[in-house]
Amino acid sequence: MSAFASKSMLAVVTLAGALGLGGCATKSYVREQIEPVSQRVGVLETRLQETDGTAKSALAAAQAAAGQAQNNSQRLDQLGSRVDGVEQRLTVQEQKRAKRPRH
């Protein structure tokens, strides 16, 4: 190999090494770049937890309301039956009065 080829090869290897090593990031640089993203993720996680808590509270309230509505529906059914019974008795009494002769 000639002296020119050796020097050229050495220059190419040196240049390739410099370019290759220049791309490495330091830990502090990576931390600086990641910190804003990490903070945003933290804020979003907090908001997600708050939203999750709100959703769970709303679900519990909705389930309680559904249970109360079911109880109210059962009570209305019972009252409806009682009203039907009272109406039947009134109808019978009215029919008895209508059949009685007046003096």
Side-chain angles (χ1 to χ4, degrees):
M1 208 190 279
S2 70
F4 178 74
S6 298
K7 288 181 183 181
S8 296
M9 184 66 98
L10 181 62
V12 168
V13 170
T14 303
L15 182 61
L19 288 176
L21 293 176
C24 293
T26 63
K27 287 182 182 180
S28 63
Y29 176 78
V30 171
R31 284 187 193 125
E32 288 174 9
Q33 298 303 310
I34 295 294
E35 187 175 346
V37 174
S38 180
Q39 288 175 351
R40 288 176 58 193
V41 167
V43 168
L44 290 175
E45 283 178 345
T46 301
R47 288 179 59 192
L48 178 62
Q49 289 173 353
E50 290 171 358
T51 302
D52 187 48
T54 302
K56 286 180 181 177
S57 295
L59 177 62
Q63 288 173 335
Q68 187 63 42
Q70 186 175 7
N71 289 340
N72 290 343
S73 177
Q74 290 172 350
R75 289 187 68 201
L76 282 173
D77 289 343
Q78 292 170 354
L79 290 174
S81 297
R82 289 177 67 186
V83 167
D84 289 342
V86 169
E87 285 179 341
Q88 287 174 356
R89 281 183 277 175
L90 283 175
T91 302
V92 169
Q93 287 179 358
E94 287 175 358
Q95 289 172 351
K96 286 181 182 179
R97 280 189 200 156
K99 290 182 182 180
R100 286 188 207 164
R102 292 191 175 199
H103 299 263

